[in-house]
Amino acid sequence: MPTVNPPRGMRDFLPADKARRERVLAVIRERYRAHGFDEIETPVVEDYDRLHAGIGGDNEKLAFAVLKRGLDADAIRAAAEAPAGLSDLGLRYDLTVPLARFYASHRADLPSVFRSIQIAPVWRAERPQKGRYRQFVQCDIDIIGDASARAEAELVVASLDTLDALGLEGGSIRINDRRVLDALLDGFGFSADERPGVLITIDKLDKIGPDGVVAELEGRGVTPTAVAAFGAFLRRPQTLEYLPFGAAQIRKALPDGIADELVGHLVGIGDAVAAARGGGDIPLVFDPFLVRGMGYYTGTIFELAHPSVDYSLGGGGRYDGMIGRFLGQQVPAVGFSIGFERIVDLVAAAEDAGTRALVLVHDRDVPVAELVALKTALIADGARVRLEQRTKNLKPMLERASADGYTAFATVAAGATVDGLEFKPLA
Amino acid sequence: MPTVNPPRGMRDFLPADKARRERVLAVIRERYRAHGFDEIETPVVEDYDRLHAGIGGDNEKLAFAVLKRGLDADAIRAAAEAPAGLSDLGLRYDLTVPLARFYASHRADLPSVFRSIQIAPVWRAERPQKGRYRQFVQCDIDIIGDASARAEAELVVASLDTLDALGLEGGSIRINDRRVLDALLDGFGFSADERPGVLITIDKLDKIGPDGVVAELEGRGVTPTAVAAFGAFLRRPQTLEYLPFGAAQIRKALPDGIADELVGHLVGIGDAVAAARGGGDIPLVFDPFLVRGMGYYTGTIFELAHPSVDYSLGGGGRYDGMIGRFLGQQVPAVGFSIGFERIVDLVAAAEDAGTRALVLVHDRDVPVAELVALKTALIADGARVRLEQRTKNLKPMLERASADGYTAFATVAAGATVDGLEFKPLA
């Protein structure tokens, strides 16, 4: 008999956890819908070739493949030299590749600017470790068909509003633009070939600091004069002068020579977010060294920060090139993925207030029809009701009910009526 | 470039369909929770061995297998003679096998009578045809740990209440007991070996009628005297006398010699459902020839009928033997699966009343910050808002918005204020 545990790196969710997850998802879904996003769904599996078309980055290597059906012994033997022949489908590793396929398939039935919500699990065969799972839920919003700063502003405003609605007020967005990064690296004298490796190192700036970055770049053997220029810029003396988000702050954080158009796009996002939030500080922070891993980003990139944690709660960016690969026609696109698995751990476990959740503890001799009638009458009156047969020691049973969100209990003897029940609080 | 369609037999859901599916799921989830069921979740994949342990019936053959990772050429060649070596995981084909594993794994953390909700997709490699899909959602409720008629009554009352809440009033339950069927076949003189084949034929009674059933049984070569006795019973003269659900009706539908205990269990379910529904007709119909396909049923079986359709909208039964196979200890269990994919097509597409869903049609020259501020102000006021840039012909755009659930629109010029917007109905 195999183990009764879930497969390696995957999780079962018991009632209390599942209820909290569904509550958080309901808030996210409702808020994103209010902001004009429409939810779609695609199958859990996609064609193997599509998942391995080179746009999934490192995730492609982590994809679970689904075995082709009806393979005979000869076909299996032939696949020994070409293992891709064993699979025609695979489990999706993100929601962006399926979205691009969906858009290419259904474009004629979608608004010209399409704002999508996707809330669904993805699978990656990562080495299991604390906080990293082989099946986890992603919550993505994407805007396809709008190249303007309005798209980024709508994503940012919707995501911060959702975070507020979850009781996580005070979130902010670190923002950058891949083209700013490219211009910056060009300016220091790195070659285009050196960029991907240099970005991997820069991505560690928060962790290893300027000296660590310079040391790692020297180890990489990239253009030494570029490393020196970059190091000097990182270590330049800075006055700790507070500047609100805007052109002045962005210019101050960059060397000279970054195009006005790039700065203008970022400022446009900031202006729109400021207008939407109705004054006060703009919850945006320009970070010229924000990298984001995915290779497909082409413009704005952002990450969601919250004062309660030192890791990001989500992120996204512009990927104007990807949809075009499926469609044969360029279409601008920008997306934001809220880190559901991280956020759900931060949200209080409070049961929906207002619902009466009652446990009826009954003696063994109460007739079934009486019990079911009592239960149904309380449900019709708006309550949530669990029946429990009396045990010698009530305490463990009542504690479990409390953990599952029940708030009061009454004992039931034969002949009891709804009006005669006396409820006592559980906690 | 591969096709942009979803994989064979699987579906994409566009916004209007997805919104309707989520609304129906929210009602099902809320009603089942009110009736004291608690939602759980298991991973989409299970160990290959568990999915192929002989309890999934015909569905085991339809399971999609997940390719083992890290297979080298030698391992693949070796698998030519033993293809099970290619897979260690598979996509679940139902929610009952995962529930049995879940219960065995987490029993200590669950109430002694555990009422579970599972709402999740399953996969079967069926030949695609109208209304049959390779990925579809199942909505199961199960009660583990209660052998009494109370368990069946709670399932029936909760399921009918849910159907009512979806606007599908007037549902009823066809009910039978596998042990009644067994006793009936024994009484006619069929041998235990002949039972499975005879049940397959009886399952077609609605479609091919008594003569068709007798002809097919004769063709099967089962005990001829049993076929003759069964045929005589099927064609016996019956008075069209109305009897409400209860012992009298059940006895009348059966030959003599069925044990009182079996009839008593069915009557107990009826009494409890009657008490819960508070008088009027009991929405139960005893059908001694109701079979239900799954081999694991051991007692009560039922199907959900509705006057608007001639197919069943769900069904279930008792499977007291299955949990014990995982646990090494007998535990009674009974489940009911509501036919989500069928029900969702019957439910009206009405948007949640009460939500204002507004389209802002703006000129090209309205500044991004103004637009985002207007949108956000309306959202803060409780509305759902979509921005659309003005097109030459507004009609197709407004029709699409209406299909997506939007109810009113206003045009926006530069300098517009929330108070100055004039909304017109969309439909």
Side-chain angles (χ1 to χ4, degrees):
Chain A
M1 181 57 59
T3 162
V4 296
N5 293 322
R8 183 158 171 263
M10 301 187 185
R11 295 167 290 172
D12 290 331
F13 294 105
L14 276 86
D17 278 343
K18 177 65 174 168
R20 182 164 61 186
R21 291 170 72 84
E22 289 299 324
R23 271 201 303 280
V24 170
L25 289 180
V27 170
I28 294 174
R29 180 172 276 135
E30 189 276 329
R31 277 295 84 191
Y32 280 160
R33 273 177 62 80
H35 284 260
F37 292 82
D38 289 303
E39 193 170 358
I40 61 161
E41 184 184 323
T42 64
V44 152
V45 296
E46 291 280 346
D47 286 339
Y48 183 91
D49 292 345
R50 181 169 302 283
L51 292 174
H52 295 84
I55 50 178
D58 287 346
N59 293 332
E60 294 194 5
K61 298 184 206 122
L62 301 175
F64 286 100
V66 173
L67 191 64
K68 207 182 270 186
R69 292 180 56 83
L71 287 173
D72 59 19
D74 286 344
I76 294 173
R77 246 176 249 116
E81 308 307 329
L86 292 173
S87 301
D88 48 0
L89 299 170
L91 292 171
R92 65 179 168 223
Y93 45 75
D94 72 12
L95 300 177
T96 307
V97 170
L99 174 65
R101 181 198 55 72
F102 177 95
Y103 187 78
S105 182
H106 302 289
R107 189 184 189 186
D109 297 315
L110 299 170
S112 59
V113 174
F114 177 48
R115 297 169 183 85
S116 80
I117 309 172
Q118 292 183 95
I119 298 180
V122 302
W123 292 263
R124 295 180 192 169
E126 310 221 42
R127 184 185 303 273
Q129 50 180 293
K130 192 174 169 347
R132 182 163 288 190
Y133 305 105
R134 292 184 153 202
Q135 173 179 330
F136 59 97
V137 167
Q138 289 198 325
C139 296
D140 285 13
I141 48 175
D142 292 86
I143 299 183
I144 303 178
D146 186 353
S148 80
R150 188 182 84 181
E152 279 92 339
E154 287 191 72
L155 293 178
V156 165
V157 171
S159 297
L160 290 175
D161 186 24
T162 300
L163 212 61
D164 288 353
L166 289 168
L168 296 168
E169 292 89 353
S172 63
I173 304 278
R174 289 168 72 196
I175 193 165
N176 193 14
D177 191 306
R178 270 289 170 94
R179 294 164 299 175
V180 167
L181 263 176
D182 289 348
L184 214 138
L185 299 193
D186 284 354
F188 293 129
F190 293 106
S191 71
D193 288 353
E194 291 171 347
R195 253 188 228 157
V198 172
L199 287 178
I200 289 172
T201 300
I202 293 181
D203 204 12
K204 302 178 187 167
L205 184 58
D206 279 353
K207 279 188 199 150
I208 62 178
D211 293 342
V213 165
V214 169
E216 188 171 314
L217 288 177
E218 284 167 355
R220 279 190 183 275
V222 290
T223 313
T225 51
V227 176
F230 181 43
F233 178 75
L234 280 180
R235 296 173 181 130
R236 75 193 186 284
Q238 293 184 65
T239 51
L240 283 170
E241 176 192 0
Y242 175 77
L243 287 177
F245 186 85
Q249 189 212 37
I250 294 170
R251 283 285 176 207
K252 182 163 185 294
L254 291 175
D256 294 338
I258 303 291
D260 286 345
E261 179 210 338
L262 296 186
V263 175
H265 189 80
L266 290 167
V267 171
I269 298 168
D271 287 348
V273 172
R277 306 280 285 194
D281 273 0
I282 304 176
L284 292 179
V285 178
F286 176 63
D287 177 351
F289 299 117
L290 179 68
V291 174
R292 299 279 306 159
M294 296 306 294
Y296 53 63
Y297 290 128
T298 56
T300 320
I301 46 182
F302 24 54
E303 279 191 3
L304 178 57
H306 191 266
S308 67
V309 289
D310 61 1
Y311 44 80
S312 107
L313 291 183
R318 224 173 230 293
Y319 52 101
D320 286 348
M322 193 202 283
I323 305 283
R325 286 196 46 173
F326 291 125
L327 205 61
Q329 181 188 349
Q330 280 307 106
V331 180
V334 57
F336 192 91
S337 183
I338 207 163
F340 171 73
E341 301 287 353
R342 289 175 168 185
I343 284 174
V344 79
D345 287 337
L346 300 178
V347 171
E351 177 72 358
D352 307 338
T355 300
R356 284 193 307 150
L358 311 173
V359 182
L360 296 184
V361 182
H362 61 88
D363 294 330
R364 200 189 183 87
D365 63 350
V366 184
V368 165
E370 278 188 25
L371 280 176
V372 177
L374 280 177
K375 177 185 169 184
T376 310
L378 290 165
I379 293 169
D381 200 35
R384 174 178 166 220
V385 185
R386 174 189 283 182
L387 297 177
E388 288 276 15
Q389 188 170 304
R390 185 191 286 280
T391 46
K392 253 190 194 148
N393 180 1
L394 287 186
K395 205 171 162 224
M397 181 231 286
L398 296 179
E399 283 175 353
R400 182 160 297 140
S402 178
D404 288 344
Y406 289 86
T407 52
F409 77 103
T411 52
V412 178
T417 59
V418 170
D419 293 338
L421 295 174
E422 287 183 32
F423 285 99
K424 295 169 203 135
L426 265 176
Chain B
M1 181 59 57
T3 163
V4 295
N5 294 322
R8 183 157 170 261
M10 302 187 184
R11 294 167 290 172
D12 289 332
F13 295 105
L14 276 84
D17 279 343
K18 177 64 174 169
R20 181 162 62 186
R21 291 171 72 85
E22 288 300 324
R23 271 201 303 280
V24 170
L25 289 180
V27 170
I28 294 173
R29 180 171 275 137
E30 189 277 329
R31 277 295 85 193
Y32 280 159
R33 272 177 63 80
H35 283 261
F37 292 81
D38 288 303
E39 192 170 358
I40 62 160
E41 185 184 323
T42 65
V44 153
V45 296
E46 291 280 346
D47 285 340
Y48 183 91
D49 293 343
R50 181 169 301 283
L51 292 175
H52 295 86
I55 50 178
D58 287 346
N59 293 332
E60 293 194 6
K61 296 183 208 123
L62 302 175
F64 285 99
V66 172
L67 190 66
K68 207 182 273 186
R69 293 180 55 82
L71 288 172
D72 59 19
D74 287 343
I76 294 173
R77 248 177 247 117
E81 308 306 330
L86 292 174
S87 300
D88 48 0
L89 300 170
L91 292 171
R92 64 180 168 221
Y93 46 73
D94 72 12
L95 300 177
T96 308
V97 171
L99 174 64
R101 180 196 57 72
F102 176 95
Y103 186 79
S105 183
H106 302 289
R107 189 183 191 188
D109 297 314
L110 300 171
S112 60
V113 174
F114 176 49
R115 299 169 181 84
S116 79
I117 310 173
Q118 292 183 95
I119 298 180
V122 303
W123 292 262
R124 296 180 191 167
E126 309 223 42
R127 185 185 302 274
Q129 50 180 292
K130 193 175 166 348
R132 183 162 287 190
Y133 305 105
R134 292 184 152 201
Q135 173 179 331
F136 60 97
V137 167
Q138 289 198 325
C139 296
D140 286 14
I141 48 175
D142 292 86
I143 299 183
I144 302 179
D146 186 352
S148 79
R150 189 182 84 181
E152 279 94 338
E154 288 192 72
L155 292 178
V156 165
V157 171
S159 297
L160 290 174
D161 186 25
T162 300
L163 212 60
D164 288 353
L166 290 168
L168 297 168
E169 293 89 353
S172 64
I173 303 279
R174 289 168 71 196
I175 193 165
N176 193 15
D177 191 305
R178 269 289 170 93
R179 293 164 300 174
V180 168
L181 261 176
D182 289 348
L184 214 139
L185 298 193
D186 284 353
F188 294 129
F190 293 105
S191 71
D193 287 353
E194 291 170 347
R195 253 188 228 158
V198 171
L199 288 178
I200 289 173
T201 300
I202 293 181
D203 204 13
K204 302 178 187 167
L205 184 58
D206 280 353
K207 279 189 198 149
I208 62 178
D211 293 343
V213 164
V214 169
E216 188 170 313
L217 288 178
E218 283 166 356
R220 278 192 184 273
V222 290
T223 313
T225 52
V227 176
F230 182 42
F233 178 76
L234 280 181
R235 297 174 180 127
R236 75 194 185 284
Q238 294 185 65
T239 51
L240 283 171
E241 176 191 359
Y242 175 78
L243 288 177
F245 185 86
Q249 189 212 37
I250 294 171
R251 283 285 176 207
K252 183 164 185 291
L254 290 175
D256 295 337
I258 303 290
D260 287 344
E261 178 210 338
L262 295 187
V263 176
H265 189 78
L266 290 168
V267 171
I269 298 169
D271 288 349
V273 172
R277 304 281 285 193
D281 274 0
I282 303 177
L284 292 179
V285 178
F286 176 63
D287 177 351
F289 300 117
L290 178 68
V291 174
R292 300 281 305 160
M294 295 307 294
Y296 53 64
Y297 289 128
T298 55
T300 320
I301 43 181
F302 23 55
E303 278 190 4
L304 177 57
H306 192 267
S308 67
V309 290
D310 61 2
Y311 44 80
S312 105
L313 290 183
R318 220 173 234 293
Y319 52 100
D320 287 347
M322 193 203 283
I323 304 284
R325 287 197 45 174
F326 291 123
L327 204 60
Q329 181 188 350
Q330 280 306 104
V331 180
V334 57
F336 193 92
S337 183
I338 208 165
F340 171 73
E341 301 287 352
R342 289 174 168 185
I343 285 174
V344 78
D345 287 337
L346 301 177
V347 171
E351 178 72 359
D352 308 337
T355 300
R356 284 193 309 150
L358 311 173
V359 182
L360 297 183
V361 181
H362 63 87
D363 294 329
R364 200 188 185 86
D365 64 349
V366 184
V368 164
E370 277 189 25
L371 280 175
V372 176
L374 279 177
K375 177 185 168 185
T376 309
L378 289 165
I379 292 168
D381 199 35
R384 176 178 165 220
V385 185
R386 176 188 281 184
L387 296 177
E388 288 275 13
Q389 187 170 305
R390 184 190 287 281
T391 46
K392 252 190 195 149
N393 179 1
L394 286 186
K395 206 171 162 223
M397 181 232 285
L398 296 179
E399 282 175 354
R400 180 160 298 140
S402 177
D404 288 345
Y406 288 86
T407 51
F409 76 102
T411 52
V412 178
T417 61
V418 170
D419 293 337
L421 295 175
E422 287 183 33
F423 285 99
K424 297 170 201 135
L426 264 177

